[in-house]
């Protein structure tokens, strides 16, 4: 601890007297009135104009834990790095959360939820630290810091502003005033009393207690250029006054834990419980090694990719949920729960490392999910997707909803035996493309038996029921000396261009007599 600054000097250093005392802030943001065990969580993205799949993964865990415990899930925009700001970035975040069904509850009592609008709170807290000698104004310029860094490197010391290198940590009030008079605009730094020779034990809810060397860096709390806080200081103030109980964040923050513990201790506040989540990795196609999903190399790193490509958002949620809570898949397969939202996940079991995102596995979840939809639900999803993201061809396919319903309804009347060959909305439309004359590709390789087709056409009646229809196929087989299945195959290929399709009778029914006759005639001629 150093000598605290006078209130006047604090006002001068911060460009204005702090608006609130700590007591006032405590009253403004009262402890939440929630049942025991209720978790208060937040998703706290920086608005970079991009929503990473890892962000969605974290937000899903936040949302789920709050929801299942009867707590509160918030969205806080960490926009203190004004240099990195991107237009529409917040819209992209909000929209993504909405699309993936992550509903947050930003009660105005605990707001504002944009860090850039919380300056008064940060300044009030930092004023308290300045007054108690836990923080100080620092006038080191960028060049000064560069010089210090060079010297430290040359001498083989750890880099950073700490101990003897923290030139301004013990400036007197007069020295501070002198520098302010000369036009100096200080950052506010932590006056660290940590000793790296000593260990501090910090708790991570999954990893347990972890020993770290104490932090001795006088890290920046409030920046000089815009008076906004650094992540560390904003986290302290926001998660305390928003009454966050659980901070779920990426493992890249784990090394900051001793610093955060130190900050909470200095304020005499109880720190939230931390859970540091694994990065979302993939197996690199070239090297075969596991690596983080990269914004640059992997389209699937961006959640927008899944929306555009027509992956069912529910399947993405189910899959990410199963990465976070590996028991979910089994519970679902046993029919104990219907969706991830019904499954009781355990915070302690969130994987610490190596969470793998595998598109093949996602395919499985997508097939399962689409298999569980009713025909109207399936049609609805496909139509909405096609109209928003689809090609002109896709839009044409969904224009006649009645026909589409017939097409997608094939082999879907028995919920226990639904075909599971649909993966994405775009692939679904591609899979059934042959139903549209514009998209139908006749099979030029198949050796058709013209006689069989001719015989069938002669007796074909579009209103035949399935038994009558089959009896006619059998009759054609007898006449032509083919097997029943061969006759059906001739029809199947003539109508779809494919040798593998769902139920042939249903296909003919949906296509209608006119289209069926036209396609068969085309082969005969
Ligand atoms: N803005 C920080 C990030 O995007 C938030 C980390 C946290 O959740 O505390 O990494």
């Amino acid at each position: 601890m150093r000598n605290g600054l006078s209130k006047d000097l604090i006002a001068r250093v911060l460009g204005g007297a702090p608006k609130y005392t700590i007591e006032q802030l405590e009253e403004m943001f009262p402890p939440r009135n929630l049942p025991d065990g209720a978790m208060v969580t937040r998703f706290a993205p920086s608005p970079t104009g991009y929503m990473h799949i890892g962000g969605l993964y974290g937000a899903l865990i936040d949302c789920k834990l709050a929801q299942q415990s009867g707590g509160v899930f918030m969205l806080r925009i960490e926009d203190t790095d004004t240099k990195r700001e991107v237009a529409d970035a917040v819209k992209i975040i909000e929209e993504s959360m909405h699309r993936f069904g992550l509903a947050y509850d930003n009660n105005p009592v605990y707001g504002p939820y944009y860090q850039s609008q919380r300056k008064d709170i940060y300044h009030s807290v930092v004023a308290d630290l300045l007054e108690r000698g836990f923080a100080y104004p620092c006038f080191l310029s960028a060049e000064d810091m560069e010089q210090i860094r060079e010297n430290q490197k040359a001498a083989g010391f750890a880099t950073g502003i700490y101990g003897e290198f923290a030139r301004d940590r013990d400036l007197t009030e007069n020295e501070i005033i002198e520098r302010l008079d000369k036009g100096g605009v200080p950052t506010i730094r932590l006056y660290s009393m940590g000793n790296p020779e000593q260990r501090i034990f910090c708790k991570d809810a999954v990893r347990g207690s972890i020993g770290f060397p104490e932090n001795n860096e006088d890290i920046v709390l409030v920046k000089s250029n815009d008076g906004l806080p650094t992540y560390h200081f904003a986290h302290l103030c926001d998660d305390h006054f928003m009454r966050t109980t659980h901070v779920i964040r990426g493992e890249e923050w784990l090394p900051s834990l001793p610093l955060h513990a130190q900050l909470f201790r200095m304020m005499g506040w109880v720190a939230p419980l931390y859970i540091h989540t694994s990065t979302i990795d993939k197996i690199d196609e070239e090297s075969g090694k596991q690596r983080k999903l990269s914004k640059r190399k992997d389209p699937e790193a961006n959640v927008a990719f899944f929306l555009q490509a027509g992956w069912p958002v529910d399947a993405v949620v189910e899959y990410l949920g199963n990465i976070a809570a590996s028991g979910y898949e089994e519970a679902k397969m046993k029919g104990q729960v219907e969706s991830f939202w019904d499954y009781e996940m355990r915070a302690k079991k969130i994987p610490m490392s190596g969470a793998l995102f595998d598109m093949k596995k996602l395919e499985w979840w997508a097939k399962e999910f689409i298999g569980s939809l009713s025909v109207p639900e399936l049609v609805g999803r496909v139509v909405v997707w096609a109209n928003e993201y689809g090609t002109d061809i896709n839009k044409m396919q969904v224009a006649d909803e009645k026909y589409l319903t017939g097409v997608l309804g094939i082999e879907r009347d028995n919920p226990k035996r639904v075909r599971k060959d649909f993966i994405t909305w775009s692939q679904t439309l591609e899979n059934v493309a042959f139903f549209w004359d514009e998209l139908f590709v006749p099979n030029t390789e198949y050796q058709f038996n013209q006689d069989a087709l001719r015989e069938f056409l002669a007796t074909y009646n579009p209103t035949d029921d399935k038994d009558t229809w089959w009896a006619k196929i059998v009759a054609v087989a007898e006449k032509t000396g083919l097997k029943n299945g061969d006759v059906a195959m001739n029809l199947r290929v003539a109508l779809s261009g494919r040798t593998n399709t769902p139920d042939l009778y249903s296909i003919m029914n949906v296509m209608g007599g006119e289209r069926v006759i036209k396609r068969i005639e085309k082969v005969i001629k």
Side-chain angles (χ1 to χ4, degrees):
M1 222 160 47
R2 47 159 288 144
N3 287 334
L5 302 191
S6 70
K7 284 198 161 41
D8 285 348
L9 188 52
I10 290 173
R12 198 165 161 208
V13 162
L14 294 178
K19 207 159 165 188
Y20 310 109
T21 63
I22 301 297
E23 291 70 34
Q24 282 169 331
L25 289 170
E26 294 290 351
E27 264 170 46
M28 282 161 60
F29 308 111
R32 292 175 187 260
N33 191 5
L34 292 168
D36 272 358
M39 297 186 183
V40 178
T41 61
R42 82 295 185 284
F43 176 44
S46 302
T48 59
Y50 181 92
M51 179 112 162
H52 194 278
I53 189 82
L56 183 66
Y57 173 67
L60 174 63
I61 297 174
D62 285 316
C63 183
K64 179 73 175 89
L65 289 176
Q67 180 239 45
Q68 74 179 24
S69 64
V72 177
F73 168 51
M74 306 171 271
L75 170 64
R76 181 171 75 220
I77 303 299
E78 306 221 319
D79 56 348
T80 57
D81 192 350
T82 34
K83 276 180 268 144
R84 278 176 55 203
E85 212 138 312
V86 180
D88 279 347
V90 174
K91 253 202 357 238
I92 290 171
I93 294 164
E94 288 175 341
E95 171 81 7
S96 309
M97 296 189 57
H98 175 72
R99 296 280 183 126
F100 286 90
L102 307 183
Y104 48 89
D105 173 13
N106 283 4
N107 180 341
V109 169
Y110 296 94
Y113 288 87
Y114 284 72
Q115 288 185 328
S116 59
Q117 295 168 18
R118 298 173 64 83
K119 216 169 179 173
D120 287 339
I121 300 170
Y122 307 125
H123 282 205
S124 300
V125 177
V126 92
D128 177 73
L129 290 173
L130 286 165
E131 198 177 340
R132 291 192 289 126
F134 286 112
Y136 65 93
C138 169
F139 296 88
L140 286 172
S141 65
E143 294 77 51
D144 294 335
M145 301 221 310
E146 192 43 45
Q147 190 59 57
I148 293 171
R149 215 182 138 74
E150 292 296 312
N151 295 347
Q152 286 170 328
K153 273 186 167 162
F157 291 137
T159 54
I161 303 303
Y162 59 89
E164 62 191 284
F165 300 106
R167 187 193 70 191
D168 292 353
R169 74 192 314 242
D170 289 307
L171 292 181
T172 63
E173 291 228 350
N174 281 338
E175 287 169 328
I176 293 170
I177 291 168
E178 224 171 80
R179 282 165 174 73
L180 290 171
D181 285 344
K182 280 201 207 132
V185 183
T187 55
I188 311 297
R189 281 186 188 271
L190 167 71
Y191 190 90
S192 181
M193 287 165 301
N195 173 2
E197 311 273 283
Q198 284 181 28
R199 286 177 94 67
I200 178 171
F201 283 86
C202 306
K203 194 171 165 189
D204 173 289
V206 178
R207 292 167 172 81
S209 183
I210 310 168
F212 292 91
E214 283 181 1
N215 167 62
N216 68 338
E217 268 196 73
D218 287 359
I219 59 121
V220 174
L221 301 174
V222 174
K223 297 178 284 172
S224 59
N225 59 335
D226 51 16
L228 285 170
T230 54
Y231 167 75
H232 308 293
F233 188 58
H235 154 54
L236 168 80
C237 302
D238 293 346
D239 285 315
H240 177 69
F241 287 118
M242 289 180 167
R243 308 295 175 182
T244 306
T245 63
H246 290 71
V247 167
I248 294 135
R249 61 183 180 186
E251 65 186 354
E252 68 273 19
W253 294 113
L254 192 60
S256 305
L257 206 45
L259 165 64
H260 297 162
Q262 181 183 21
L263 293 174
F264 274 92
R265 253 181 230 181
M266 268 167 26
M267 290 309 298
W269 295 341
V270 178
L273 206 50
Y274 295 90
I275 296 172
H276 294 89
T277 55
S278 160
T279 52
I280 298 287
D281 295 351
K282 74 178 277 182
I283 304 290
D284 187 89
E285 286 102 10
E286 276 162 37
S287 68
K289 289 204 180 102
Q290 184 160 342
R291 63 163 173 80
K292 202 174 148 179
L293 271 180
S294 129
K295 188 169 163 175
R296 207 165 39 80
K297 289 194 216 152
D298 310 305
E300 72 269 30
N302 185 350
V303 301
F305 161 81
F306 297 94
L307 301 173
Q308 275 153 13
W311 287 91
V313 289
D314 317 65
V316 177
V317 166
E318 297 264 294
Y319 180 37
L320 288 177
N322 193 59
I323 293 177
S326 60
Y328 168 58
E329 182 178 335
E330 197 185 328
K332 176 157 171 144
M333 287 306 113
K334 284 189 180 153
Q336 292 161 347
V337 290
E338 224 168 83
S339 86
F340 177 61
W341 298 106
D342 315 323
Y343 180 72
E344 181 87 8
M345 79 171 279
R346 305 244 327 262
K348 275 199 156 74
K349 292 204 161 170
I350 295 170
M352 279 191 263
S353 63
L356 256 192
F357 193 90
D358 174 358
M359 292 299 278
K360 277 277 160 239
K361 194 76 214 231
L362 175 62
E363 278 187 14
W364 181 84
W365 284 95
K367 285 179 185 172
E368 286 294 316
F369 173 73
I370 298 182
S372 75
L373 294 179
S374 69
V375 177
E377 281 168 341
L378 171 59
V379 171
R381 299 286 193 117
V382 169
V383 170
V384 167
W385 175 81
N387 285 325
E388 182 167 10
Y389 295 107
T391 59
D392 287 344
I393 289 174
N394 294 146
K395 291 191 173 79
M396 178 278 289
Q397 286 178 282
V398 302
D400 180 349
E401 239 178 80
K402 210 168 138 222
Y403 190 54
L404 181 67
T405 302
V407 169
L408 296 182
I410 292 175
E411 281 186 31
R412 284 196 157 249
D413 29 20
N414 181 351
K416 289 223 176 72
R417 283 192 23 236
V418 168
R419 295 168 45 235
K420 296 206 171 133
D421 48 2
F422 296 152
I423 305 168
T424 67
W425 312 133
S426 106
Q427 173 267 352
T428 297
L429 285 172
E430 206 181 296
N431 187 289
V432 295
F434 68 84
F435 279 92
W436 287 267
D437 294 337
E438 298 90 324
L439 307 177
F440 170 59
V441 185
N443 191 321
T444 51
E445 261 137 55
Y446 188 77
Q447 299 291 319
F448 287 102
N449 184 312
Q450 309 269 339
D451 285 343
L453 289 174
R454 219 172 273 125
E455 289 293 338
F456 177 80
L457 212 48
T459 57
Y460 171 59
N461 179 348
T463 60
D464 283 342
D465 64 23
K466 195 163 185 176
D467 289 341
T468 315
W469 168 83
W470 184 246
K472 287 180 176 174
I473 289 186
V474 173
V476 172
E478 274 162 12
K479 238 182 177 172
T480 54
L482 294 177
K483 288 186 187 141
N484 299 344
D486 291 332
V487 177
M489 185 56 85
N490 270 274
L491 288 171
R492 185 185 310 280
V493 180
L495 294 173
S496 70
R498 303 181 355 195
T499 51
N500 183 356
T501 67
D503 180 56
L504 181 60
Y505 176 74
S506 309
I507 289 178
M508 292 172 86
N509 241 343
V510 170
M511 282 188 170
E514 208 182 308
R515 192 177 275 115
V516 167
I517 294 168
K518 225 170 53 196
R519 288 197 185 177
I520 297 178
E521 279 179 344
K522 253 215 174 116
V523 177
I524 300 173
K525 271 167 198 157

